[in-house]
Amino acid sequence: MMKQNQSNRVAVRSKLTAVSSRPVNPGTIHSFTGLDHAMALHSVHVIFYYKEKLFSYFDLDPFRVCLSEILSLYPPVTGRIVRREVDGEWEVKCNDAGVRVVKATVATTLDEWLGSADGAEERLLTAWDDMPHDDPSSWSPYRIQINEFEGGGVAIGLSCSHMQADPTCATLLIKSWAETHRRGPVVHPPSFDDLLDSPLTRGLNIHNTNTKSSCSYYEAKSMAAHTPLVLKKMGTATFKFSNEVIKQNLLEIHQTCPVATPFDLMAALFWARIARLKHPKSESKHSLSICVDFRKKLQLSFGHYGNALHFSLLSLLDVEEKEDLGDVVGAVHRHVSSQGEGEFWSALDWFESRKEEGGQSGAPFRMYGPELTCMSMEHMVDFPGITRNKPLMYTAVFDKENRPVHVSYHVGNVEGEGLIMVMPSPEGGMARMVTVTLPEEELEQLCQDEAILSLNPIMVISGTRKA
Protein backbone atom coordinates (compact mmCIF):
# COMPACT_ATOMS: atom_id res chain seq x y z
CA MET A 1 0.00 0.00 0.00
CA MET A 2 1.28 3.46 -0.91
CA LYS A 3 2.58 5.50 2.01
CA GLN A 4 1.67 9.19 1.72
CA ASN A 5 3.54 11.74 3.84
CA GLN A 6 2.03 14.67 5.68
CA SER A 7 2.78 17.20 2.93
CA ASN A 8 0.66 15.17 0.52
CA ARG A 9 3.17 15.81 -2.27
CA VAL A 10 5.77 13.04 -1.76
CA ALA A 11 4.57 9.44 -1.92
CA VAL A 12 6.83 6.44 -1.33
CA ARG A 13 6.12 3.83 -4.02
CA SER A 14 8.61 1.05 -3.34
CA LYS A 15 11.60 -0.01 -1.27
CA LEU A 16 14.46 -2.32 -2.06
CA THR A 17 18.03 -3.10 -1.08
CA ALA A 18 20.95 -2.51 -3.45
CA VAL A 19 24.04 -4.67 -2.98
CA SER A 20 27.45 -4.52 -4.62
CA SER A 21 28.02 -6.43 -7.84
CA ARG A 22 31.17 -8.06 -6.43
CA PRO A 23 31.21 -9.55 -2.93
CA VAL A 24 33.66 -8.10 -0.45
CA ASN A 25 36.46 -10.22 0.95
CA PRO A 26 35.29 -12.01 4.12
CA GLY A 27 36.38 -10.34 7.35
CA THR A 28 36.82 -6.87 5.82
CA ILE A 29 36.25 -4.07 8.32
CA HIS A 30 36.44 -0.29 8.14
CA SER A 31 37.77 1.57 11.18
CA PHE A 32 36.79 5.10 12.16
CA THR A 33 39.18 7.88 13.10
CA GLY A 34 38.74 9.84 16.31
CA LEU A 35 37.25 12.67 14.24
CA ASP A 36 34.75 10.27 12.65
CA HIS A 37 33.64 9.11 16.09
CA ALA A 38 33.12 12.68 17.26
CA MET A 39 30.68 13.32 14.38
CA ALA A 40 28.30 10.51 15.40
CA LEU A 41 25.50 12.80 16.62
CA HIS A 42 25.00 14.19 13.11
CA SER A 43 23.85 12.95 9.71
CA VAL A 44 24.50 14.21 6.17
CA HIS A 45 21.76 14.71 3.56
CA VAL A 46 22.42 15.65 -0.08
CA ILE A 47 19.78 16.10 -2.79
CA PHE A 48 20.64 16.34 -6.49
CA TYR A 49 17.93 17.84 -8.72
CA TYR A 50 17.76 17.07 -12.47
CA LYS A 51 15.44 18.78 -14.95
CA GLU A 52 15.19 15.85 -17.34
CA LYS A 53 14.04 12.34 -16.56
CA LEU A 54 17.01 10.06 -15.88
CA PHE A 55 15.09 6.86 -16.57
CA SER A 56 11.63 5.48 -17.11
CA TYR A 57 9.94 2.99 -14.83
CA PHE A 58 10.96 0.18 -17.17
CA ASP A 59 14.66 1.05 -17.44
CA LEU A 60 15.30 1.59 -13.75
CA ASP A 61 17.10 -1.78 -13.64
CA PRO A 62 20.19 -0.55 -15.58
CA PHE A 63 20.26 2.43 -13.21
CA ARG A 64 20.40 0.03 -10.26
CA VAL A 65 22.99 -2.16 -11.99
CA CYS A 66 25.49 0.70 -12.21
CA LEU A 67 24.72 1.54 -8.57
CA SER A 68 25.70 -2.02 -7.65
CA GLU A 69 28.90 -1.61 -9.67
CA ILE A 70 29.96 1.55 -7.87
CA LEU A 71 29.03 0.07 -4.47
CA SER A 72 31.73 -2.53 -5.13
CA LEU A 73 34.27 0.27 -4.65
CA TYR A 74 32.64 1.32 -1.35
CA PRO A 75 32.47 -1.72 0.99
CA PRO A 76 31.69 0.45 4.08
CA VAL A 77 28.60 1.86 2.36
CA THR A 78 26.96 -1.56 2.12
CA GLY A 79 28.22 -2.71 5.54
CA ARG A 80 26.79 -2.41 9.04
CA ILE A 81 28.12 -0.56 12.08
CA VAL A 82 28.96 -2.83 15.02
CA ARG A 83 30.83 -2.67 18.33
CA ARG A 84 34.32 -4.15 18.25
CA GLU A 85 34.59 -6.94 20.83
CA VAL A 86 38.10 -6.02 21.97
CA ASP A 87 37.47 -2.44 23.10
CA GLY A 88 33.83 -1.62 22.33
CA GLU A 89 34.84 0.80 19.54
CA TRP A 90 32.45 1.36 16.62
CA GLU A 91 33.58 -0.06 13.27
CA VAL A 92 31.96 -1.09 9.99
CA LYS A 93 31.60 -4.77 9.28
CA CYS A 94 31.76 -4.88 5.48
CA ASN A 95 29.30 -7.72 4.99
CA ASP A 96 27.47 -6.70 1.76
CA ALA A 97 24.23 -6.18 3.68
CA GLY A 98 23.31 -3.49 1.15
CA VAL A 99 21.95 0.05 0.89
CA ARG A 100 18.28 0.90 1.37
CA VAL A 101 16.83 2.40 -1.83
CA VAL A 102 13.43 4.11 -1.84
CA LYS A 103 11.49 5.12 -4.95
CA ALA A 104 8.98 7.97 -4.57
CA THR A 105 6.87 10.34 -6.66
CA VAL A 106 6.29 14.05 -6.08
CA ALA A 107 2.88 15.48 -7.00
CA THR A 108 4.21 18.69 -8.56
CA THR A 109 6.77 19.83 -11.11
CA LEU A 110 10.40 20.36 -10.20
CA ASP A 111 10.20 24.13 -10.82
CA GLU A 112 7.12 24.44 -8.63
CA TRP A 113 8.82 22.42 -5.91
CA LEU A 114 11.98 24.55 -5.88
CA GLY A 115 9.83 27.67 -5.60
CA SER A 116 7.37 26.50 -2.96
CA ALA A 117 8.88 23.75 -0.75
CA ASP A 118 10.60 24.62 2.52
CA GLY A 119 13.51 22.89 4.21
CA ALA A 120 11.31 20.56 6.27
CA GLU A 121 9.40 19.36 3.22
CA GLU A 122 12.61 18.95 1.24
CA ARG A 123 13.91 16.52 3.82
CA LEU A 124 11.06 14.21 2.77
CA LEU A 125 13.07 13.59 -0.42
CA THR A 126 15.64 11.71 1.68
CA ALA A 127 14.96 8.51 3.59
CA TRP A 128 16.46 8.36 7.06
CA ASP A 129 16.20 6.70 10.48
CA ASP A 130 18.64 7.61 13.23
CA MET A 131 21.09 4.94 14.23
CA PRO A 132 19.83 2.75 17.11
CA HIS A 133 22.76 2.75 19.53
CA ASP A 134 21.70 -0.42 21.31
CA ASP A 135 22.02 -2.72 18.27
CA PRO A 136 22.63 -1.11 14.85
CA SER A 137 23.73 -4.41 13.24
CA SER A 138 20.68 -4.47 10.94
CA TRP A 139 20.56 -0.68 10.40
CA SER A 140 21.61 0.69 7.00
CA PRO A 141 23.99 3.66 7.49
CA TYR A 142 23.22 4.85 3.93
CA ARG A 143 19.82 5.54 2.33
CA ILE A 144 19.10 6.57 -1.26
CA GLN A 145 15.73 7.95 -2.34
CA ILE A 146 14.89 8.47 -6.02
CA ASN A 147 12.06 10.99 -6.44
CA GLU A 148 10.21 11.54 -9.75
CA PHE A 149 8.44 14.87 -10.30
CA GLU A 150 5.54 15.52 -12.61
CA GLY A 151 6.83 16.53 -16.02
CA GLY A 152 10.04 14.52 -15.85
CA GLY A 153 12.25 16.06 -13.17
CA VAL A 154 14.14 13.79 -10.77
CA ALA A 155 15.75 14.31 -7.35
CA ILE A 156 18.24 11.82 -5.92
CA GLY A 157 18.47 12.08 -2.14
CA LEU A 158 21.37 10.51 -0.26
CA SER A 159 21.48 10.26 3.54
CA CYS A 160 24.24 8.81 5.69
CA SER A 161 25.69 8.88 9.16
CA HIS A 162 28.19 11.73 9.55
CA MET A 163 30.43 9.20 11.31
CA GLN A 164 30.81 7.52 7.90
CA ALA A 165 31.17 10.53 5.60
CA ASP A 166 31.28 14.30 5.28
CA PRO A 167 29.43 16.26 2.53
CA THR A 168 32.35 15.99 0.08
CA CYS A 169 32.57 12.23 0.52
CA ALA A 170 28.79 11.88 0.01
CA THR A 171 28.99 14.06 -3.11
CA LEU A 172 31.75 11.91 -4.61
CA LEU A 173 29.67 8.77 -4.11
CA ILE A 174 26.84 10.16 -6.27
CA LYS A 175 29.33 11.57 -8.80
CA SER A 176 31.05 8.18 -9.08
CA TRP A 177 27.67 6.53 -9.59
CA ALA A 178 26.95 8.95 -12.45
CA GLU A 179 30.36 8.27 -14.03
CA THR A 180 29.73 4.52 -13.89
CA HIS A 181 26.29 5.01 -15.46
CA ARG A 182 27.94 6.88 -18.38
CA ARG A 183 30.52 4.08 -18.65
CA GLY A 184 33.29 6.56 -17.93
CA PRO A 185 36.20 6.27 -15.48
CA VAL A 186 35.66 6.96 -11.79
CA VAL A 187 37.73 10.12 -11.43
CA HIS A 188 37.91 10.17 -7.62
CA PRO A 189 37.75 6.57 -6.34
CA PRO A 190 37.46 6.22 -2.56
CA SER A 191 40.59 6.00 -0.44
CA PHE A 192 40.16 4.44 2.99
CA ASP A 193 43.55 4.72 4.70
CA ASP A 194 44.61 8.38 4.33
CA LEU A 195 44.31 9.12 8.04
CA LEU A 196 44.18 5.61 9.49
CA ASP A 197 47.77 4.95 8.39
CA SER A 198 49.10 8.31 9.55
CA PRO A 199 51.49 8.57 12.52
CA LEU A 200 48.78 10.01 14.78
CA THR A 201 46.66 6.85 14.66
CA ARG A 202 49.70 4.77 15.63
CA GLY A 203 50.15 6.85 18.78
CA LEU A 204 53.15 8.81 17.45
CA ASN A 205 52.41 12.47 18.11
CA ILE A 206 55.04 14.05 15.86
CA HIS A 207 52.96 16.98 14.65
CA ASN A 208 54.24 19.97 16.55
CA THR A 209 52.34 23.23 16.48
CA ASN A 210 52.63 26.49 18.35
CA THR A 211 48.88 26.89 18.66
CA LYS A 212 46.65 25.11 21.14
CA SER A 213 43.56 27.04 20.10
CA SER A 214 41.98 24.15 18.20
CA CYS A 215 42.50 21.68 21.03
CA SER A 216 41.12 24.15 23.58
CA TYR A 217 38.12 24.84 21.36
CA TYR A 218 37.28 21.16 20.85
CA GLU A 219 37.74 20.53 24.55
CA ALA A 220 35.26 23.31 25.34
CA LYS A 221 32.79 21.93 22.79
CA SER A 222 33.01 18.44 24.27
CA MET A 223 32.37 19.84 27.76
CA ALA A 224 29.45 21.95 26.51
CA ALA A 225 27.74 18.76 25.41
CA HIS A 226 27.01 18.04 29.09
CA THR A 227 24.77 21.14 29.25
CA PRO A 228 21.34 20.54 27.69
CA LEU A 229 20.17 23.16 25.19
CA VAL A 230 16.75 24.72 25.01
CA LEU A 231 15.42 22.99 21.92
CA LYS A 232 13.81 25.24 19.33
CA LYS A 233 12.03 24.35 16.13
CA MET A 234 14.48 25.01 13.31
CA GLY A 235 13.76 26.17 9.77
CA THR A 236 15.92 26.24 6.64
CA ALA A 237 16.09 28.61 3.66
CA THR A 238 18.47 28.90 0.70
CA PHE A 239 19.57 32.20 -0.86
CA LYS A 240 21.06 32.25 -4.37
CA PHE A 241 23.40 35.18 -5.23
CA SER A 242 24.50 35.92 -8.79
CA ASN A 243 28.04 36.18 -10.08
CA GLU A 244 27.59 39.90 -10.80
CA VAL A 245 26.32 40.71 -7.31
CA ILE A 246 29.20 38.91 -5.59
CA LYS A 247 31.75 40.63 -7.86
CA GLN A 248 30.26 44.07 -7.20
CA ASN A 249 30.23 43.61 -3.43
CA LEU A 250 33.79 42.33 -3.36
CA LEU A 251 34.77 45.41 -5.36
CA GLU A 252 33.09 47.67 -2.81
CA ILE A 253 35.20 46.28 0.04
CA HIS A 254 38.38 45.97 -2.05
CA GLN A 255 40.24 48.72 -0.18
CA THR A 256 39.50 47.11 3.19
CA CYS A 257 40.16 43.51 2.13
CA PRO A 258 41.55 43.22 -1.42
CA VAL A 259 42.01 39.43 -1.18
CA ALA A 260 38.50 38.57 0.06
CA THR A 261 36.81 35.48 -1.36
CA PRO A 262 33.09 34.93 -2.00
CA PHE A 263 33.05 32.78 1.15
CA ASP A 264 34.56 35.56 3.25
CA LEU A 265 31.88 37.96 1.99
CA MET A 266 28.91 35.63 2.50
CA ALA A 267 30.09 34.38 5.90
CA ALA A 268 30.61 37.94 7.15
CA LEU A 269 27.28 39.20 5.78
CA PHE A 270 25.16 36.44 7.28
CA TRP A 271 27.09 36.42 10.56
CA ALA A 272 26.53 40.15 10.98
CA ARG A 273 22.84 40.04 10.05
CA ILE A 274 22.11 37.00 12.25
CA ALA A 275 24.03 38.58 15.16
CA ARG A 276 21.78 41.63 14.79
CA LEU A 277 18.74 39.37 15.16
CA LYS A 278 20.08 37.45 18.12
CA HIS A 279 21.90 40.22 20.00
CA PRO A 280 20.59 43.68 19.05
CA LYS A 281 22.92 46.48 20.22
CA SER A 282 25.07 44.09 22.22
CA GLU A 283 28.53 45.17 23.34
CA SER A 284 29.77 41.66 23.93
CA LYS A 285 31.88 39.43 21.75
CA HIS A 286 30.17 37.43 19.03
CA SER A 287 31.53 34.04 18.03
CA LEU A 288 31.35 32.11 14.77
CA SER A 289 32.50 28.52 14.39
CA ILE A 290 34.02 28.14 10.91
CA CYS A 291 34.19 24.70 9.29
CA VAL A 292 36.60 24.01 6.41
CA ASP A 293 37.71 20.94 4.46
CA PHE A 294 41.39 20.01 4.88
CA ARG A 295 41.87 17.38 2.13
CA LYS A 296 44.07 19.69 0.04
CA LYS A 297 46.11 21.22 2.89
CA LEU A 298 46.97 17.80 4.35
CA GLN A 299 47.60 16.40 0.87
CA LEU A 300 45.05 13.64 1.36
CA SER A 301 43.56 11.76 -1.55
CA PHE A 302 40.65 13.85 -2.83
CA GLY A 303 38.61 10.65 -2.70
CA HIS A 304 39.33 10.35 1.04
CA TYR A 305 36.51 8.34 2.59
CA GLY A 306 35.36 9.68 5.95
CA ASN A 307 35.57 13.11 7.55
CA ALA A 308 38.11 15.77 6.60
CA LEU A 309 36.58 18.76 8.41
CA HIS A 310 38.13 21.25 10.82
CA PHE A 311 36.16 23.56 13.12
CA SER A 312 37.65 26.70 14.65
CA LEU A 313 36.30 29.71 16.52
CA LEU A 314 36.42 33.36 15.44
CA SER A 315 35.28 36.01 17.96
CA LEU A 316 34.77 39.73 17.30
CA LEU A 317 33.34 42.65 19.20
CA ASP A 318 30.17 44.38 17.97
CA VAL A 319 29.81 42.34 14.77
CA GLU A 320 26.20 43.45 14.35
CA GLU A 321 27.12 47.14 14.70
CA LYS A 322 29.99 47.28 12.19
CA GLU A 323 29.27 49.99 9.65
CA ASP A 324 31.94 48.69 7.28
CA LEU A 325 31.26 45.03 6.47
CA GLY A 326 34.80 44.92 5.08
CA ASP A 327 36.17 44.77 8.64
CA VAL A 328 34.24 41.56 9.31
CA VAL A 329 35.11 40.17 5.87
CA GLY A 330 38.79 40.82 6.56
CA ALA A 331 38.61 39.10 9.94
CA VAL A 332 37.00 36.02 8.38
CA HIS A 333 39.62 35.94 5.61
CA ARG A 334 42.58 36.24 8.01
CA HIS A 335 41.16 33.54 10.25
CA VAL A 336 40.64 31.01 7.44
CA SER A 337 43.82 31.74 5.49
CA SER A 338 46.02 31.54 8.60
CA GLN A 339 45.08 27.93 9.28
CA GLY A 340 47.86 25.55 8.34
CA GLU A 341 48.86 21.92 8.38
CA GLY A 342 50.09 22.05 11.97
CA GLU A 343 46.74 23.22 13.32
CA PHE A 344 44.84 20.49 11.47
CA TRP A 345 47.19 17.75 12.68
CA SER A 346 47.05 19.12 16.22
CA ALA A 347 43.26 18.85 16.17
CA LEU A 348 43.37 15.31 14.76
CA ASP A 349 45.85 14.31 17.45
CA TRP A 350 43.47 15.70 20.07
CA PHE A 351 40.62 13.50 18.80
CA GLU A 352 42.86 10.43 18.94
CA SER A 353 44.04 11.37 22.46
CA ARG A 354 40.44 11.14 23.75
CA LYS A 355 40.55 7.35 23.64
CA GLU A 356 39.92 5.83 27.02
CA GLU A 357 42.12 3.27 28.73
CA GLY A 358 40.44 0.36 26.96
CA GLY A 359 40.91 1.99 23.55
CA GLN A 360 37.37 3.29 23.07
CA SER A 361 36.97 6.82 21.69
CA GLY A 362 35.46 9.57 23.78
CA ALA A 363 31.74 10.29 23.53
CA PRO A 364 30.59 12.18 20.43
CA PHE A 365 29.54 15.78 20.90
CA ARG A 366 27.74 18.54 19.06
CA MET A 367 30.13 19.60 16.28
CA TYR A 368 27.61 21.93 14.60
CA GLY A 369 26.88 24.10 17.62
CA PRO A 370 26.07 25.25 20.17
CA GLU A 371 27.53 28.46 18.71
CA LEU A 372 26.55 29.71 15.24
CA THR A 373 28.47 27.59 12.71
CA CYS A 374 29.46 28.48 9.14
CA MET A 375 30.60 25.76 6.72
CA SER A 376 32.75 26.61 3.70
CA MET A 377 32.46 24.54 0.53
CA GLU A 378 34.95 26.68 -1.42
CA HIS A 379 37.14 23.61 -2.02
CA MET A 380 34.43 22.26 -4.36
CA VAL A 381 34.92 25.17 -6.79
CA ASP A 382 38.32 24.12 -8.17
CA PHE A 383 38.27 20.48 -7.18
CA PRO A 384 41.09 18.59 -8.97
CA GLY A 385 40.05 16.44 -11.90
CA ILE A 386 36.89 18.37 -12.83
CA THR A 387 36.09 20.74 -15.68
CA ARG A 388 37.14 24.29 -14.88
CA ASN A 389 34.36 26.52 -13.56
CA LYS A 390 32.13 23.51 -12.84
CA PRO A 391 31.75 23.03 -9.08
CA LEU A 392 32.16 19.45 -7.92
CA MET A 393 28.50 18.77 -7.11
CA TYR A 394 27.38 19.91 -10.57
CA THR A 395 29.61 17.39 -12.34
CA ALA A 396 27.39 14.49 -11.22
CA VAL A 397 26.05 13.97 -14.76
CA PHE A 398 24.15 10.73 -15.39
CA ASP A 399 22.96 11.36 -18.94
CA LYS A 400 24.70 13.54 -21.56
CA GLU A 401 24.38 17.19 -20.53
CA ASN A 402 21.60 16.62 -17.99
CA ARG A 403 23.51 18.32 -15.18
CA PRO A 404 22.03 18.97 -11.73
CA VAL A 405 20.11 22.25 -11.73
CA HIS A 406 20.29 22.48 -7.94
CA VAL A 407 22.02 20.59 -5.13
CA SER A 408 20.93 20.90 -1.50
CA TYR A 409 22.94 19.99 1.59
CA HIS A 410 21.61 19.51 5.11
CA VAL A 411 23.19 18.39 8.37
CA GLY A 412 21.04 16.48 10.82
CA ASN A 413 20.74 17.31 14.52
CA VAL A 414 21.78 20.96 14.25
CA GLU A 415 20.95 22.66 17.55
CA GLY A 416 21.86 25.87 19.31
CA GLU A 417 22.54 29.07 17.37
CA GLY A 418 22.20 27.58 13.88
CA LEU A 419 24.16 26.73 10.73
CA ILE A 420 25.23 28.71 7.64
CA MET A 421 26.44 26.72 4.61
CA VAL A 422 28.16 28.65 1.80
CA MET A 423 28.49 26.67 -1.40
CA PRO A 424 29.00 27.13 -5.15
CA SER A 425 26.04 27.87 -7.42
CA PRO A 426 25.27 26.07 -10.70
CA GLU A 427 25.90 29.43 -12.39
CA GLY A 428 29.62 29.00 -11.71
CA GLY A 429 32.14 31.79 -11.30
CA MET A 430 31.72 33.73 -8.06
CA ALA A 431 27.99 32.96 -7.75
CA ARG A 432 27.17 31.38 -4.39
CA MET A 433 24.27 29.75 -2.56
CA VAL A 434 23.82 30.15 1.17
CA THR A 435 21.67 27.68 3.09
CA VAL A 436 20.76 28.87 6.58
CA THR A 437 19.26 26.81 9.41
CA LEU A 438 17.97 28.90 12.32
CA PRO A 439 15.18 28.87 14.90
CA GLU A 440 12.03 29.50 12.84
CA GLU A 441 11.28 32.98 14.22
CA GLU A 442 14.80 34.17 13.47
CA LEU A 443 14.75 32.62 9.99
CA GLU A 444 11.54 34.45 9.13
CA GLN A 445 13.16 37.76 10.10
CA LEU A 446 16.35 36.93 8.18
CA CYS A 447 14.36 36.26 5.00
CA GLN A 448 13.07 39.85 5.28
CA ASP A 449 16.43 41.42 6.12
CA GLU A 450 16.99 44.55 4.00
CA ALA A 451 20.75 44.18 3.75
CA ILE A 452 20.42 40.65 2.35
CA LEU A 453 17.47 41.45 0.09
CA SER A 454 19.40 44.41 -1.36
CA LEU A 455 21.66 41.82 -3.04
CA ASN A 456 18.62 40.48 -4.96
CA PRO A 457 18.90 36.81 -3.95
CA ILE A 458 16.67 34.16 -5.47
CA MET A 459 14.99 32.15 -2.75
CA VAL A 460 15.13 28.38 -3.26
CA ILE A 461 13.56 25.76 -0.98
CA SER A 462 12.39 28.35 1.51
CA GLY A 463 8.63 28.21 1.26
CA THR A 464 8.60 31.51 -0.65
CA ARG A 465 8.24 32.13 -4.34
CA LYS A 466 11.37 32.88 -6.34
CA ALA A 467 11.89 36.53 -7.27
Side-chain angles (χ1 to χ4, degrees), residues 93-109:
K93 183 179 181 181
C94 302
N95 55 6
D96 287 324
V99 174
R100 301 282 188 262
V101 180
V102 174
K103 190 170 183 292
T105 57
V106 187
T108 187
T109 65

Side-chain angles (χ1 to χ4, degrees), residues 18-29 67-76 78-79 93-98:
V19 297
S20 59
S21 58
R22 296 185 299 277
V24 70
N25 292 330
T28 301
I29 59 99
L67 173 59
S68 293
E69 290 179 14
I70 198 59
L71 289 176
S72 297
L73 298 181
Y74 286 87
T78 58
K93 183 179 181 181
C94 302
N95 55 6
D96 287 324

Side-chain angles (χ1 to χ4, degrees), residues 370-447:
E371 62 284 318
L372 184 66
T373 304
C374 185
M375 171 179 275
S376 169
M377 294 191 175
E378 291 295 292
H379 65 287
M380 291 191 174
V381 177
D382 294 315
F383 207 81
I386 63 175
T387 305
R388 186 168 178 79
N389 203 33
K390 288 294 181 186
L392 179 68
M393 62 280 279
Y394 295 101
T395 61
V397 181
F398 282 89
D399 182 24
K400 298 180 181 178
E401 291 303 310
N402 186 13
R403 295 184 179 276
V405 294
H406 180 67
V407 181
S408 287
Y409 290 85
H410 299 280
V411 174
N413 197 23
V414 171
E415 298 176 356
E417 297 289 308
L419 174 64
I420 307 165
M421 304 179 77
V422 182
M423 63 200 77
S425 167
E427 180 183 341
M430 291 188 175
R432 292 294 182 270
M433 295 194 306
V434 181
T435 297
V436 183
T437 299
L438 291 173
E440 282 189 339
E441 292 181 2
E442 295 175 8
L443 184 67
E444 185 177 349
Q445 295 178 62
L446 187 72
C447 290

Side-chain angles (χ1 to χ4, degrees), residues 39 41-46 123 160 162 166-167 236 309 311 367-368 375 377 408-415 419 421 435 437:
M39 305 296 295
L41 296 182
H42 302 288
S43 53
V44 174
H45 309 267
V46 190
R123 285 287 291 272
C160 65
H162 214 320
D166 60 18
T236 299
L309 299 177
F311 295 77
M367 299 291 283
Y368 298 88
M375 171 179 275
M377 294 191 175
S408 287
Y409 290 85
H410 299 280
V411 174
N413 197 23
V414 171
E415 298 176 356
L419 174 64
M421 304 179 77
T435 297
T437 299

Side-chain angles (χ1 to χ4, degrees), residues 134-189:
D134 53 344
D135 181 19
S137 57
S138 61
W139 173 79
S140 176
Y142 278 82
R143 313 289 172 94
I144 296 174
Q145 184 165 317
I146 302 173
N147 308 274
E148 291 191 80
F149 292 89
E150 293 180 351
V154 173
I156 298 177
L158 172 70
S159 298
C160 65
S161 165
H162 214 320
M163 187 161 59
Q164 284 255 28
D166 60 18
T168 302
C169 184
T171 300
L172 288 174
L173 174 58
I174 297 296
K175 178 177 177 288
S176 299
W177 180 13
E179 290 164 344
T180 302
H181 186 261
R182 299 197 318 269
R183 296 301 168 192
V186 175
V187 179
H188 300 100

